[in-house]
Amino acid sequence: MFIDVDRSFQSCISNHAQTLSVTNNVSQLTEAVSSLTNVCNSMVGTIAQLATLKNSLSENQVKGNSKEPPTTNEIIDNLIDDKNYSKAISTAVDAKDLSILSRTLSKINNPSNWLSQPGLNQGLLLSLLQQIGADLSRDIEVKLLWLKHCIIALQPNQPQIQQHCSQVLSGIYQNLERVRNQYQN
């Protein structure tokens, strides 16, 4: 009898545990479905907002209200107009386009306008020298003028540029020799 009661008790506990497990699983699934529904609703709202924004941007472009970002040359021109020569030269050097750099140097015209400004950045000066001296086949008059003034202003013993100066100046010298040989022949 004791064995029968124990079996019944064990069977009842087992059935109760299974019922609790199924109930917990159903509850967890219900919560997961509810959470997924909230995420989907949020995504639908975001998609609707993006569609509205896209339509608004398209309408502005059709109406001609969108403005193109300024070109590098326009930015440099504004900087030169504001007499911010250091930023203009930095922007031209960063463009890594020798035609933009030559144009900038021509527009500034007088190297002293930049070189006489306090706090001359020697790293920028060395980068400028390197780019000017890299190609002396075009705009040679402007480049030679700037090379002359920049080399005078260069302080090669400054720790910021010391390790690079000799290599840059050597490259400029070699390019100047090539140009000189071309004009002699």
Side-chain angles (χ1 to χ4, degrees):
M1 171 121 157
F2 178 71
I3 294 174
D4 288 338
V5 170
D6 187 48
R7 281 186 199 151
S8 293
F9 184 71
Q10 292 293 335
S11 174
C12 186
I13 288 177
S14 175
N15 287 339
H16 185 62
Q18 287 176 351
T19 304
L20 283 176
S21 175
V22 168
T23 303
N24 283 341
N25 287 342
V26 169
S27 175
Q28 288 174 349
L29 286 173
T30 303
E31 287 177 24
V33 168
S34 176
S35 179
L36 284 174
T37 302
N38 289 339
V39 168
C40 288
N41 288 338
S42 175
M43 289 177 70
V44 167
T46 301
I47 291 171
Q49 288 175 341
L50 288 174
T52 303
L53 180 62
K54 178 185 174 195
N55 289 337
S56 173
L57 288 173
S58 295
E59 288 173 12
N60 283 340
Q61 286 177 345
V62 168
K63 292 177 185 176
N65 290 340
S66 67
K67 187 176 181 181
E68 293 287 324
T71 66
T72 302
N73 282 331
E74 291 170 339
I75 292 169
I76 291 170
D77 289 347
N78 289 335
L79 291 167
I80 292 171
D81 290 344
D82 294 341
K83 300 194 182 331
N84 190 346
Y85 302 118
S86 186
K87 183 69 176 158
I89 288 173
S90 176
T91 302
V93 167
D94 289 345
K96 295 179 176 54
D97 182 334
L98 290 178
S99 64
I100 291 174
L101 181 61
S102 291
R103 181 183 176 280
T104 302
L105 298 179
S106 295
K107 287 196 75 128
I108 293 175
N109 194 26
N110 184 355
S112 297
N113 288 339
W114 175 54
L115 296 170
S116 63
Q117 291 182 336
L120 180 62
N121 181 327
Q122 291 289 309
L124 177 58
L125 180 60
L126 188 62
S127 295
L128 175 63
L129 279 167
Q130 183 178 27
Q131 286 191 25
I132 293 171
D135 179 14
L136 297 172
S137 63
R138 293 181 298 240
D139 306 317
I140 193 161
E141 295 84 17
V142 171
K143 289 180 180 179
L144 287 176
L145 173 70
W146 276 83
L147 279 173
K148 175 183 150 188
H149 286 278
C150 289
I151 287 174
I152 291 169
L154 187 67
Q155 298 170 3
N157 291 331
Q158 278 205 351
Q160 176 188 10
I161 61 170
Q162 191 173 21
Q163 66 181 354
H164 304 289
C165 266
S166 62
Q167 183 180 0
V168 169
L169 293 174
S170 176
I172 292 169
Y173 178 77
Q174 289 172 1
N175 286 341
L176 285 169
E177 283 294 312
R178 270 190 231 121
V179 170
R180 186 176 69 129
N181 290 336
Q182 283 178 330
Y183 281 105
Q184 286 179 349
N185 293 334

